């Protein structure tokens, strides 16, 4: 089990009022799953993803990542656990604009204390996995949106985390390029990585193997995706 939530909820206090972003809910994510969290804007997707990725904590309940009860961790320990177990992919790529593709991908390894030549070797391996090894000396601004997202995916996998969290990874891309990014996520999943993808798009979500649908802070369904029909 890569992640397990036990009766977690999230309440934000705004002066005298409170907003329940997530009503009490329990779920687990097995190793090797490709899960989509689907819901409209404001439904609580980011709240849920931030808890799964240890960027935030539930107000109530327990969250376990790789068997570790994260409620007992200090902020520093949570950050260490996050760096070790989770790779993030965002809608807007979040690459450093003045750094080359190679340096961007090396960055998590720098934080992990990996030395120069090993860093480069692993960054190139990750860039090869996303078919971008011919672009290592480019700046992000010299790449297409799809290539920038592939760079971000290389950065997410370079430390070999068991879990990839992708927040609207196709949201800034045209349909064809978005499809290519989804294919890449599927390939990473087939290679054994657990993927959790947040999206508001039903068609995108249906490329996953399981969909948790969320509405107004409540999980309204949690179902396997029916196998895709053969092309006619
Ligand atoms: P989504 O990612 O699906 O758009 P969010 O998880 O961002 O939804 O938000 C769920 C609800 O929680 C919304 O009503 C939002 O306004 C509220 N919310 C999110 N973050 C905060 C915050 N930091 N303070 C107060 N309310 C918040
Ligand atoms: P390691 O240092 O464990 O030998 P590599 O140097 O082969 O790993 O790869 C560096 C990073 O790129 C690792 O996170 C690895 O998982 C990833 N990677 C390399 N090749 C592939 C591939 N074909 N598919 C997916 N990920 C890959």
């Amino acid at each position: 089990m890569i992640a397990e939530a036990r009766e977690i909820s999230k309440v934000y206090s705004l002066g005298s009022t409170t907003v329940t972003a997530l009503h009490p809910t329990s779920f687990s994510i097995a190793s090797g799953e490709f899960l989509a969290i689907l819901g409209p804007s404001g439904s609580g997707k980011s709240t849920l993803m931030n808890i799964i990725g240890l960027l935030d904590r539930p107000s109530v309940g327990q969250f376990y990542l790789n068997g570790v009860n994260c409620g007992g961790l200090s902020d520093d320990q949570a950050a260490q656990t996050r760096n070790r177990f989770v790779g993030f992919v965002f809608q807007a790529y979040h690459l450093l604009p003045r750094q080359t593709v190679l340096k961007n991908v090396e960055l998590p390894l720098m934080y992990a204390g990996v030395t120069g030549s090993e860093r480069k070797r692993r960054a190139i391996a990750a860039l090869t996995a996303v078919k971008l090894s011919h672009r290592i000396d480019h700046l992000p601004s010299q790449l297409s949106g799809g290539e920038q997202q592939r760079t971000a995916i290389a950065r997410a996998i370079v430390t070999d985390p068991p879990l990839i969290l992708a927040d609207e990874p196709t949201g800034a891309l045209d349909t064809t390029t978005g499809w290519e990014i989804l294919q890449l996520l599927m390939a990473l999943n087939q290679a054994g990585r657990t993927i959790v993808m947040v999206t508001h798009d039903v068609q995108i979500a249906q490329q996953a193997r399981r969909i948790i649908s969320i509405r107004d802070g409540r999980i309204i369904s949690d179902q396997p995706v029916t196998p895709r029909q053969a092309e006619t």
Side-chain angles (χ1 to χ4, degrees):
M1 203 68 72
I2 187 78
E4 187 178 359
R6 293 191 195 161
E7 289 297 305
I8 59 166
S9 59
K10 184 73 184 181
V11 178
Y12 293 106
S13 298
L14 303 163
S16 56
T17 58
T18 58
V19 175
T20 303
L22 192 63
H23 292 272
T25 188
S26 301
F27 59 88
S28 54
I29 305 170
S31 195
E33 281 200 72
F34 188 171
L35 167 68
I37 296 172
L38 172 69
S41 177
S43 58
K45 301 186 296 297
S46 302
T47 300
L48 196 50
M49 198 184 97
N50 289 343
I51 293 171
I52 296 171
L54 306 191
L55 294 167
D56 201 357
R57 297 169 191 272
S59 311
V60 179
Q62 256 85 54
F63 182 72
Y64 297 78
L65 188 65
N66 230 45
V68 176
N69 184 347
C70 298
L73 303 179
S74 68
D75 287 351
D76 278 355
Q77 288 171 325
Q80 275 170 24
T81 306
R82 179 168 68 235
N83 292 340
R84 181 139 169 245
F85 293 116
V86 190
F88 290 91
V89 176
F90 303 99
Q91 175 171 353
Y93 325 129
H94 292 195
L95 301 172
L96 297 177
R98 289 176 212 286
Q99 301 286 336
T100 63
V101 163
L102 184 65
K103 291 293 175 203
N104 267 283
V105 175
E106 281 188 22
L107 206 61
L109 297 173
M110 274 178 70
Y111 293 135
V114 178
T115 56
S117 60
E118 173 67 5
R119 227 163 43 216
K120 184 168 180 185
R121 190 190 70 73
R122 288 174 63 179
I124 289 173
L127 282 161
T128 304
V130 302
K131 301 195 168 64
L132 219 55
S133 55
H134 57 303
R135 287 275 195 269
I136 62 171
D137 294 324
H138 287 65
L139 293 172
S141 60
Q142 297 170 318
L143 303 180
S144 69
E147 288 170 335
Q148 290 186 57
Q149 193 60 300
R150 274 149 63 196
T151 305
I153 291 171
R155 182 185 54 192
I157 64 174
V158 75
T159 53
D160 218 1
L163 176 63
I164 302 288
L165 276 186
D167 189 1
E168 302 274 6
T170 64
L173 302 171
D174 63 75
T175 310
T176 308
T177 311
W179 179 251
E180 286 166 12
I181 292 299
L182 271 176
Q183 299 280 325
L184 181 53
L185 293 175
M186 287 179 211
L188 294 174
N189 176 242
Q190 264 148 29
R193 285 190 177 73
T194 310
I195 308 224
V196 176
M197 174 175 70
V198 168
T199 182
H200 66 276
D201 185 318
V202 180
Q203 282 182 313
I204 300 281
Q206 277 168 345
Q207 306 310 313
R209 296 295 175 136
R210 169 186 174 194
I211 302 178
I212 288 181
S213 294
I214 179 166
R215 202 62 60 92
D216 297 328
R218 295 178 206 274
I219 291 178
I220 55 168
S221 78
D222 181 350
Q223 289 181 319
V225 175
T226 48
R228 285 180 279 285
Q229 307 252 314
E231 301 279 324
T232 49

